[in-house]
Amino acid sequence: MRLPRIAELDESSSGWGFYLCARKERRTDRAGAEFLAVVLQDVSGQISAKVVHDVDAFQREFDAGDFVRVEGRANRPYQKLELLIEKIRRVDEAADRPEGFKEEDCIPCAPRPIEDMWQELRSRVERARNPWIRQLLTGILDRHGERLRIWPAALTVHHAYRGGLLEHVLKLAETGEALAAAYGADADLLLAGAVLHDLGKIDELSYDGVTSYSLHGNLLGHITIGVMLVREAASAIDGFPAGLRLRLEHMILSHHGERELGSPVEPMTAEAFILSSLDSLDATLHQVRRHVEDDRSEGDFTAYHPRLGRVLLKPSGR
Amino acid sequence: MRLPRIAELDESSSGWGFYLCARKERRTDRAGAEFLAVVLQDVSGQISAKVVHDVDAFQREFDAGDFVRVEGRANRPYQKLELLIEKIRRVDEAADRPEGFKEEDCIPCAPRPIEDMWQELRSRVERARNPWIRQLLTGILDRHGERLRIWPAALTVHHAYRGGLLEHVLKLAETGEALAAAYGADADLLLAGAVLHDLGKIDELSYDGVTSYSLHGNLLGHITIGVMLVREAASAIDGFPAGLRLRLEHMILSHHGERELGSPVEPMTAEAFILSSLDSLDATLHQVRRHVEDDRSEGDFTAYHPRLGRVLLKPSGR
Amino acid sequence: MRLPRIAELDESSSGWGFYLCARKERRTDRAGAEFLAVVLQDVSGQISAKVVHDVDAFQREFDAGDFVRVEGRANRPYQKLELLIEKIRRVDEAADRPEGFKEEDCIPCAPRPIEDMWQELRSRVERARNPWIRQLLTGILDRHGERLRIWPAALTVHHAYRGGLLEHVLKLAETGEALAAAYGADADLLLAGAVLHDLGKIDELSYDGVTSYSLHGNLLGHITIGVMLVREAASAIDGFPAGLRLRLEHMILSHHGERELGSPVEPMTAEAFILSSLDSLDATLHQVRRHVEDDRSEGDFTAYHPRLGRVLLKPSGR
Amino acid sequence: MRLPRIAELDESSSGWGFYLCARKERRTDRAGAEFLAVVLQDVSGQISAKVVHDVDAFQREFDAGDFVRVEGRANRPYQKLELLIEKIRRVDEAADRPEGFKEEDCIPCAPRPIEDMWQELRSRVERARNPWIRQLLTGILDRHGERLRIWPAALTVHHAYRGGLLEHVLKLAETGEALAAAYGADADLLLAGAVLHDLGKIDELSYDGVTSYSLHGNLLGHITIGVMLVREAASAIDGFPAGLRLRLEHMILSHHGERELGSPVEPMTAEAFILSSLDSLDATLHQVRRHVEDDRSEGDFTAYHPRLGRVLLKPSGR
Amino acid sequence: MRLPRIAELDESSSGWGFYLCARKERRTDRAGAEFLAVVLQDVSGQISAKVVHDVDAFQREFDAGDFVRVEGRANRPYQKLELLIEKIRRVDEAADRPEGFKEEDCIPCAPRPIEDMWQELRSRVERARNPWIRQLLTGILDRHGERLRIWPAALTVHHAYRGGLLEHVLKLAETGEALAAAYGADADLLLAGAVLHDLGKIDELSYDGVTSYSLHGNLLGHITIGVMLVREAASAIDGFPAGLRLRLEHMILSHHGERELGSPVEPMTAEAFILSSLDSLDATLHQVRRHVEDDRSEGDFTAYHPRLGRVLLKPSGR
Amino acid sequence: MRLPRIAELDESSSGWGFYLCARKERRTDRAGAEFLAVVLQDVSGQISAKVVHDVDAFQREFDAGDFVRVEGRANRPYQKLELLIEKIRRVDEAADRPEGFKEEDCIPCAPRPIEDMWQELRSRVERARNPWIRQLLTGILDRHGERLRIWPAALTVHHAYRGGLLEHVLKLAETGEALAAAYGADADLLLAGAVLHDLGKIDELSYDGVTSYSLHGNLLGHITIGVMLVREAASAIDGFPAGLRLRLEHMILSHHGERELGSPVEPMTAEAFILSSLDSLDATLHQVRRHVEDDRSEGDFTAYHPRLGRVLLKPSGR
């Protein structure tokens, strides 16, 4: 029987499935027995797994980074569910594609198709009335599109999957447009802020199905990297207005809202205030939604969310 | 010559005008001379003023709380502009109405006509799909309409004028609707949150052209007062769902977002997170707009805004 | 041999006893063997326990929430002592009462008998000189007495057992009386503050031997719930003075002392300052006393107390 | 006519009185005229005053630190009341005693007679059951009695007058006794804590009717000075138990409760927790009482208290 | 008689001198009389001054920004000393140079001659062993030397005068060299950090004898401006090692030490920790020294320093 | 084969070695089997170890505090490496010295020989120009030398090994001398501050190869203990200047820099500012260096350092 997606496994699950092996280590248990400690991943999440017999043989069958075919059953020794692996081997495309293997099923991904999101973003950019902003953003999308399409928005906190950055950008473009209208703010500035504020993440993070901080990311941070990318792009446009460039750079620098949160300057324009407020809200609501969706606890409330520092009311609650 | 509005007075201003006298005290200056220290108010703001001759006579001509006709000229002894009063007397309706006296010109007021705003609010309430929310809000508007129409939203910080609470509520209703759509949140809950979150201000503040904290306001705070008013209103509706009432009360209690900011509980639902974020943003943007509009300084930036802790970029800046 | 109370178990303990089974789960250990993970509770505390043989048979013998008879021996695999269960079954009243089974031995409880505490509280209320306060408190005790007698004061932090709320209230009544005398404050107000300040906990927490947060508790918090209960009770008394009601409500709202600690308003009367100071001190001293009593470490100091952020000097120290 | 006490002066006051001249400076006003700026003090408080005519003559008539006879009238040029001095001269004992001059009327002083307070303190010390504590405290009172009797407890914040330290110590002795009883804590330790916790203030502050920080006070602080005085006193007692001395020193060091408030270590014993809580409460309540008593504003609430960060409800309020 | 330098004026000062007029405004005093409010500046500081007679005539004699010859006398109407101007006119070079007028006497300036400091800096750069760092710094000094020589390090807080930035940079170069030796850190990196960390201030501040924030300065901040200048300079050097550039950029970004203090990233290398610690210490000690030097109060301690939040012990104290 | 030092053990290590047994406990594993849980220590660090067979026999062979000879092999059941002990017995000097047993190999120790450091310290003290300081420090070194030579500077945070306090003191003496020169501060005061600031640690900590807090240490803290030791030493020197003693005591009291960090007073002299800044920097850099040296992770950055709240760049990084 085919195993359900990782997010839907429970203690009774047993069968086979295709995964990306994200980590693999050989260890010795307290009783001295050796085993393979493995992390498996599919589109719905990650799970720890273990090979406890024929360890030498199975160890040669796959490596971290491989797509694998696994047979096993779920187990919950203490708090967390894990997978006891009975068989594991590297995917054999010829044999496994007919059985339903697809790479994209093994990589967590934004819920909406990337091509859809990308088209919406391009069309929003084309609708900008300020020609300088249109030209700047078009250039950015052309130059960095390969990464902008698929990048995650963060390592773990929110939108931490393929296409997460694009999903986050689009949501800010949408809400930014609404608040620009409500407050008579400059809609094109807010669109540019949405597209550019996290641009530095394409250098801050490295991503190839797995996300990590880059050397640049740790030492400079995505805010500074982003400002530099934007300055470079604006400098390449002949006659780009200096005042406009400054306002855009200010929005990127101030988008965390406060110095304690990593912004070296704080918002000084209506657009910068709006952008930082919407950015923070989008990150929070993404965490809220994921936590509620992933929650398996009983009762009206979810388990405690350590980063938010509270439990959340389930929408399905009384 | 008629004096310009208070907000437009400068050092060369001289002439006459109608005002509300907000404060009046008799004092002695350092040289021992007595004078009247007065605060005058019109639709555009407040200004300090002084009567320095014929003090005894003029003192009998008016009291704090009166509408007055004033002749005088502007002066800036040190930092702040003030008005040197040459003549002052209580308004004489018969004589002064033909000259253009209108009470409403003397009371700072929201920019949009109150009746307009009230109609929009009623029509938003009528469009709510949830019948319980519609019934609850209609009852609240009916019962507290007299105050809800004209109440200021605060003593000094933001929307501190006639109709300010209504203006603030409407803006949250508008932005709440937009974000409910963007995030798939419950639009009716957000409408109710917009209308109810500051309802307690009608008891927290007392207002009769001048605003002050009431006994209840200081000892209980508008959050607790508001929750009690909503519970009372919901209890009066037969069959009002307990879970819905709780969610509404939770939104009111948590709308300051953090305990440090006076909310005894913090948001636990998507709608409560959205409401507190939009409420804070609206208050900030109102301060930003007013500060920019009122600023008389030269250069690209406004004077320092103590509460925001920064200068602001003027939209007209380079 | 009968096992000692849970708090007195050590590694050499072995025998039988009666407990309340607070939790029961079936799990699989790392080696794949199934076992029952159980939490047992008696008047002195809680302990983790395990059934590792005849799991299927024993699983049918009891459920979480049952009083049980257990045979086993203590074990300390790593840091914490646990109980290895050899036999376990539901209590059989006929057979077990003669052996000494009593429900009250299995539920952690305030050290002083509840009936004693209740009589002291009633008599304190009867001695109040202010007739409105006497009437209000009497009504509250009558209406909510069932819960007020047995409720815990908290989930885990302090007075977290049967009768803990009553114990806490009485201690504040005693110290409040002393400080009212020392400072010429209103003793009746302080008595009322002691009785009412945590009244909302009877709705914030649900308790049936086990304590948890209720739906109301999470979304509204005990401070707001308490104010509403008091307003309701005062409204039911014809002619109850508005000023007195406000002062009582203010004491409840401000009793955490600071907004960061969850009070939406901060103390503005001598009585409110005294109450919040004594409340905080009582909670702290309760934690201090329990931590010192429970401590099993050697040397002059207890183990580190994470919530207090320090070690404590043992009274028996040098 | 004799002027009322400083605290009771109002704008209509006029006449003569005896004061301590706390400060005296010659200045030039904006118009170039010279005047004497003076601060006068009596038992009820301080007031600014001015000599604006015959400046040269009057300047020779008195110095800062002198008791003076003043004729003049009250004036309130802007916010604060001041005294316009018409005549001023040094007190002439022969002439002025018959008119009612008494030094003690010119120095702000604790409300209760110092000798009364001193007797109560001595008698509390004599009742201590622990002989070591009795001997230690007796020695301290003997050695430092001259200053302990009359010292203020602070420069400005609370108990900032003659006998203020003694008044504060006695109040803590009283409330400490009550809480020791309530919590089964060591009453003698708490008595010693009350007497010793601010002992260092006798070196931290210098006081001769006027209070200021000493060189020691600024560089070491009263907590460290106090610990050293106690160690010295305990070392002088043969056989004084080391553990007891440590507990006393710990109470002094930790009596501000938190490191942010200047305690290098935080309470680790029940007695230290009680002492720091009562100390903080006494300082707060003293400020509350003074602010309420001194308040001249109308309405239910006092003016804003900057250090407490709030307005206070007047006991006489509705 | 020639007036002493501004820092040495006291109430008895009277005579003439040369100054830079930093501000000039026409005002009306409380009595309605007009006067000129002026700020004068010389190498030792600034002082407020006033023209109170022949206002119309004198107003035509000079403008803000002019060097002026002033006759007058000192006055201290309340707390602060000011200068009452009897005559004032623009400097006439022909007439005034022989009397001793020199521009540099009128502009507050670092104590050490700028050319000296500049030579020391150049020689430190030439001694760097890392050729890339030597080349980078040489380029920076060549390109920005005109401003680097004379720029102040801040608007008001520390080193707020001509050459202040250079003085600050040199001090960090000196102490950085010492700590690099003590900790085996990279001396060239620390030299580069000293030179580059505040480089952005040449764009953040504008300075022409008077200092103010630039448009760039407010919106981007000197940290981001500095990183961009360094990246630009490094990019212009063929083969500049990427890892070295990153370490330098990281030192600039992290030199405020904490995010709350405006650094978007925090130190991650020994050199970055050392630089931020020395930078903060140098700013503090500069404030300490200036405050002690400028202090005119009596006693062992200076007046309260609001930014440091304390009084300071005078070195000359007991 | 001889095992490598603890810091160099990896999963393949196997063989024998000499250690100090720092802890020893008998426990039962989850399967019910008994084992000995042991902590072993050598000059390079500590490691957990286990005896799982012949437990009764081996238990008699050694105790905590003994030097032991161990045979075993490394194992990493989950995250942390541990040692599986096959044989263990008390060191037998006769047999083991020839095999290379040395006590000092088993105790973590400062990298530089203690005698070297001690000579440098004495020679620095002898070079002090201020005779009072020279006499005071000489007396302190004579009196407390036995402990000052070998004491650790902390329990765990930094310099937590034999000679760590001395190493820390010397580094501050070196950097303090450099900064005294750079800032024209009093070099002798800074030398005294370096030697005395942590003097209280010799009573705060108890150390006999293992470090723990003493009774004094917890209740008084090293700052207060140190001030008392210095006062005692200064009092024993006839004619020691009171002002100098105060300055030294002030440096000790304020050396944590801020009240939140445990200093009851904050720096008020240039020397106190310098000392607290260098002390904090030395502690930080020591943590940085150790964390980088101990790190075994791959990539440019170390693992996360919880106390510093960040990852660190490896010097060997790109």
Side-chain angles (χ1 to χ4, degrees), chain A residues 27-28 30 78 215 218, chain F residues 30 50 75-78 301:
Chain A
R27 295 189 185 149
T28 309
R30 294 191 174 269
Y78 296 98
L215 184 62
N218 269 324
Chain F
R30 293 191 174 269
K50 243 183 329 200
N75 179 33
R76 187 190 305 276
Y78 296 98
F301 293 92

Side-chain angles (χ1 to χ4, degrees), chain D residues 26-30 35 50 78 214-215 218-219, chain E residues 30 50 75-79 300-301 311 313 318:
Chain D
R26 192 175 182 123
R27 294 188 186 152
T28 309
D29 75 10
R30 293 188 175 271
F35 66 98
K50 240 181 334 197
Y78 296 99
S214 72
L215 184 62
N218 269 324
L219 292 179
Chain E
R30 294 191 174 269
K50 241 182 331 198
N75 179 34
R76 188 191 304 274
Y78 296 97
Q79 294 294 339
D300 297 314
F301 293 92
V311 299
L313 180 65
R318 274 170 293 174

Side-chain angles (χ1 to χ4, degrees), chain D residues 285-297:
Chain D
L285 289 177
H286 196 268
Q287 294 175 71
V288 167
R289 199 185 39 160
R290 296 288 289 209
H291 190 63
V292 165
E293 283 174 13
D294 293 354
D295 195 76
R296 295 283 172 273
S297 70

Side-chain angles (χ1 to χ4, degrees), chain C residues 127-144:
Chain C
R127 291 202 308 270
R129 272 157 309 178
N130 183 318
W132 297 110
I133 287 180
R134 213 164 50 230
Q135 186 178 354
L136 178 75
L137 297 187
T138 303
I140 295 279
L141 297 196
D142 288 348
R143 173 143 190 202
H144 302 294

Side-chain angles (χ1 to χ4, degrees), chain B residues 53-247:
Chain B
H53 61 92
D54 298 307
V55 170
D56 288 335
F58 283 122
Q59 180 159 19
R60 286 184 301 266
E61 292 283 333
F62 71 106
D63 281 311
D66 285 346
F67 293 101
V68 290
R69 186 184 188 283
V70 169
E71 289 184 38
R73 63 184 175 82
N75 179 33
R76 187 191 305 276
Y78 295 98
Q79 293 292 339
K80 286 182 65 178
L81 203 70
E82 65 178 31
L83 204 65
L84 281 174
I85 297 174
E86 277 141 30
K87 289 191 195 165
I88 183 166
R89 65 163 169 76
R90 207 168 280 115
V91 156
D92 169 353
E93 301 222 356
D96 293 335
R97 287 227 185 269
E99 296 295 314
F101 166 70
K102 279 183 271 180
E103 284 88 345
E104 61 266 37
D105 286 349
C106 301
I107 294 176
C109 193
R112 188 173 161 200
I114 281 180
E115 213 41 47
D116 260 35
M117 294 195 287
W118 188 249
Q119 286 318 317
E120 183 188 330
L121 182 59
R122 294 219 76 115
S123 113
R124 283 189 178 270
V125 166
E126 279 155 26
R127 291 203 308 270
R129 271 157 311 178
N130 183 318
W132 297 110
I133 286 180
R134 212 164 51 229
Q135 185 178 355
L136 178 75
L137 296 186
T138 302
I140 295 279
L141 296 196
D142 288 348
R143 172 142 191 203
H144 303 294
E146 201 178 339
R147 280 181 289 173
L148 279 176
R149 278 168 195 259
I150 63 164
W151 231 240
L155 206 60
T156 53
V157 182
H158 67 101
H159 300 88
Y161 44 58
R162 187 179 167 91
L165 180 56
L166 182 52
E167 184 188 8
H168 174 57
V169 160
L170 269 187
K171 190 53 77 181
L172 292 204
E174 176 186 358
T175 56
E177 185 177 38
L179 291 210
Y183 287 106
D186 184 323
D188 288 346
L189 270 182
L190 272 165
L191 173 63
V195 177
L196 301 176
H197 78 290
D198 272 350
L199 180 61
K201 293 213 166 171
I202 63 176
D203 270 358
E204 182 185 48
L205 304 173
S206 58
Y207 175 70
D208 53 2
V210 173
T211 314
S212 62
Y213 278 99
S214 70
L215 184 62
H216 286 66
N218 269 324
L219 292 179
L220 308 183
H222 73 274
I223 283 186
T224 303
I225 296 170
V227 164
M228 285 176 168
L229 290 174
V230 169
R231 169 152 301 193
E232 191 188 10
S235 303
I237 296 173
D238 216 44
F240 197 92
L244 176 59
R245 199 199 64 204
L246 260 180
R247 275 167 176 75

Side-chain angles (χ1 to χ4, degrees), chain A residues 2 8 23 26 49 76 88 125 131 174 191 203 216 225 234 247 268 282 311:
Chain A
R2 184 120 183 211
E8 280 134 34
R23 225 160 51 205
R26 190 175 182 124
R76 187 189 307 274
I88 183 166
V125 166
E174 175 186 359
L191 173 64
D203 270 358
H216 286 66
I225 296 170
R247 276 168 174 73
M268 294 176 170
D282 190 55
V311 299

Side-chain angles (χ1 to χ4, degrees), chain C residues 42-43 67 97 101-109 162:
Chain C
D42 73 8
V43 74
F67 293 101
R97 286 226 187 269
F101 165 70
K102 280 183 269 178
E103 282 88 345
E104 63 266 37
D105 286 349
C106 301
I107 294 175
C109 192
R162 186 180 169 91

